[in-house]
Amino acid sequence: MTKLPVRFAGLGAAAVLVGVVLSTPAAAAGAFPAFGLPFDTGRSVYSAGIHSDNGTSGVKNAIDFSPGDKTVRAPLAGTVRIQHCDGGDWVTVDHDGGWRTGYYHMEGISVTDGQRVVPGDALGRTGNALPCGGSSTGAHVHFTLWTLPAVAKGGDSRDFGVGAGNWNGMSYDEVSTKVAEAYGEAVDGKIFGGWQFAAGTDQYSGTATEVSSRATIPLPGRFRV
């Protein structure tokens, strides 16, 4: 949900591979699920790096992705929750164990509220949509990770307000500060689709390490899954 740096335009830049020691990801709600990545396998993808939801401060719970086919897909089975704003809609997906993923800036949303999805189902296309505010430069998806305690306890995310996921009408500023502070889950050390992500010191930085080969891509950078 943040402005993508101008360097996102450098999609042709080659990535440098180096070795890295992997660490074990921590779990906050249920055990951390076996997430995939929010795009198809066999694709080249550019990532502008790991950052906080507002790209300025707070927990680094977001990663920007731009897959080559421009299609955003569910990385894990779950239930779609469409979040409404005056400027349009954006997508979150609730997963078992109280985990929630978010997909901002998407255009051509292809799912509906309450729809069950399985890994690989198309959610929409990468874009520059700003339904609740914010800014964007260069079509991408702002992929975000949260935990929702009420959902983890068996609640319906539509019934318990902000704490359980009803974020309808909330502005970009509210989601990226109030919600992020309460429920944002750091992506640092976590594995998505066989790649472990590590946050850097700065916003929009970090690394993506392929678990099987232990090769590391500096972020911002491009890699193939």
Side-chain angles (χ1 to χ4, degrees):
M1 201 178 293
T2 55
K3 182 176 181 180
L4 204 60
V6 174
R7 60 193 174 195
F8 195 94
L11 299 183
V16 178
L17 302 182
V18 296
V20 72
V21 176
L22 301 181
S23 59
T24 303
F32 190 67
F35 276 108
L37 283 159
F39 44 85
D40 205 0
T41 57
R43 297 290 175 184
S44 175
V45 62
Y46 182 82
S47 173
I50 299 167
H51 53 92
S52 62
D53 229 0
N54 63 11
T56 302
S57 61
V59 60
K60 293 179 180 177
N61 62 326
I63 314 173
D64 288 340
F65 291 117
S66 181
D69 67 352
K70 301 181 180 180
T71 303
V72 182
R73 300 182 182 277
L76 187 70
T79 301
V80 172
R81 300 301 182 199
I82 300 294
Q83 310 292 343
H84 307 284
C85 285
D86 290 344
D89 299 334
W90 62 288
V91 173
T92 61
V93 179
D94 290 349
H95 310 282
D96 288 347
W99 295 91
R100 165 171 283 192
T101 50
Y103 309 83
Y104 200 68
H105 300 313
M106 281 201 311
E107 299 173 1
I109 292 171
S110 57
V111 287
T112 57
D113 190 64
Q115 179 179 335
R116 286 289 298 176
V117 292
V118 298
D121 281 353
L123 304 177
R125 301 191 311 273
T126 56
N128 292 294
L130 303 170
C132 309
S135 60
S136 174
T137 302
H140 66 289
V141 63
H142 173 95
F143 175 71
T144 313
L145 183 66
W146 301 277
T147 56
L148 297 176
V151 176
K153 296 175 183 177
D156 184 329
S157 68
R158 292 169 296 183
D159 294 337
F160 296 95
V162 172
N166 181 5
W167 302 342
N168 286 332
M170 294 190 71
S171 70
Y172 156 75
D173 286 337
E174 290 175 307
V175 174
S176 63
T177 55
K178 180 168 66 174
V179 173
E181 181 178 356
Y183 304 108
E185 187 70 25
V187 299
D188 182 60
K190 292 184 172 61
I191 296 174
F192 297 88
W195 290 79
Q196 186 174 46
F197 290 83
T201 302
D202 299 327
Q203 298 282 345
Y204 297 97
S205 66
T207 59
T209 298
E210 187 176 32
V211 174
S212 60
S213 67
R214 300 197 174 226
T216 292
I217 307 297
L219 301 178
R222 175 181 287 278
F223 56 101
R224 182 177 292 275
V225 298

